[in-house]
Amino acid sequence: MASPESPGDPDNPTREQPYRKRAVLLALRHYIKEITRQKRLAIPGMLMPALGNTLLFYIGPLIVGRLAGDLAGDEHVGLGWYVVAFAGSILLAEVFWRIGLHCLNRVDGRGIESLYMTGMTELLAKDTAFFHNNFAGSLTKRVLSFATRFEEFVDTLTFNVVASLVPLGFASVVLWNYDPLLVLGLVGLIIVTAFVVGPLIKRRQKLVDDREA
């Protein structure tokens, strides 16, 4: 059983929170190190879905908008090039997605395997007192969770961060050609949203900490 002064003791929430922060930072360092080690697969794996989203949700609509504008100004418009360009953008987006998912699957599998070995190596390096003060089942659960959550970290970074930033950058370039104020307004709304959501996230984390304590 964990001693009253052990970092993971639920009766000591003031000690639990710094311990959790250190654990999260340590895990992030290992995750980033693993991504860096596999950068030849990780970089295309993260970028390809973002490029696919850009083709699907930005390039395709721009082609359709250009066609609508040409049709409004000239009744004799060759539709063949527009159809080829639109179909090509969809096909290329699918190719990008397939390549990205293939690379991500390799990164996830190899990363989890490597992190399993890292976790077991760290456990084997501990002294006997460490195992006396911690449940074996709890240690096993933490090692398994440490490795398997690498997949969740990579997926979140790919599909929620990179897949949003790349299309946002492309949209900013397009809007800048119309009016720079549109880009400033877009960035301003994002900043305001971040300031509004930030305190809500901190409040939710505090509630989670209180519940676990």
Side-chain angles (χ1 to χ4, degrees):
M1 181 179 296
S3 64
E5 295 299 324
S6 64
D9 186 7
D11 295 331
N12 291 275
T14 57
R15 293 180 58 85
E16 176 72 16
Q17 293 178 5
Y19 168 77
R20 179 181 300 158
K21 291 180 180 179
R22 292 195 300 270
V24 170
L25 292 176
L26 179 61
L28 287 177
R29 285 199 296 269
H30 281 289
Y31 292 167
I32 294 174
K33 180 180 179 181
E34 192 61 37
I35 291 175
T36 304
R37 187 179 68 85
Q38 302 189 64
K39 59 184 178 181
R40 292 185 178 180
L41 288 173
I43 292 176
M46 292 181 180
L47 286 179
M48 289 297 180
L51 296 176
N53 284 345
T54 303
L55 287 168
L56 283 175
F57 301 115
Y58 292 89
I59 301 296
L62 285 175
I63 295 173
V64 175
R66 180 65 180 273
L67 173 60
D70 290 346
L71 289 175
D74 186 359
E75 295 181 357
H76 304 285
V77 177
L79 297 179
W81 290 109
Y82 289 102
V83 173
V84 171
F86 184 75
S89 66
I90 295 178
L91 179 61
L92 190 57
E94 184 67 20
V95 171
F96 283 165
W97 265 94
R98 295 294 179 180
I99 295 175
L101 291 178
H102 173 74
C103 293
L104 286 177
N105 288 336
R106 293 293 184 89
V107 172
D108 290 340
R110 294 176 181 178
I112 291 174
E113 178 184 6
S114 176
L115 292 170
Y116 273 141
M117 297 299 296
T118 299
M120 289 303 300
T121 301
E122 291 294 330
L123 281 182
L124 293 175
K126 299 297 182 182
D127 56 14
T128 306
F130 174 81
F131 293 97
H132 287 168
N133 294 329
N134 292 275
F135 287 114
S138 175
L139 295 175
T140 303
K141 180 180 178 181
R142 291 178 184 180
V143 171
L144 294 177
S145 178
F146 162 69
T148 55
R149 286 186 179 177
F150 174 73
E151 181 179 4
E152 181 181 351
F153 173 77
V154 173
D155 290 347
T156 301
L157 191 62
T158 301
F159 301 119
N160 294 347
V161 179
V162 179
S164 298
L165 291 179
V166 172
L168 178 62
F170 178 81
S172 298
V173 173
V174 174
L175 292 176
W176 188 273
N177 292 327
Y178 289 97
D179 191 342
L181 291 178
L182 293 175
V183 179
L184 295 178
L186 177 62
V187 175
L189 288 175
I190 294 175
I191 294 175
V192 170
T193 303
F195 275 107
V196 172
V197 173
L200 297 178
I201 295 176
K202 291 182 179 179
R203 182 174 182 273
R204 180 182 181 277
Q205 185 60 51
K206 183 177 183 302
L207 293 175
V208 172
D209 294 339
D210 292 342
R211 181 189 64 190
E212 292 183 355

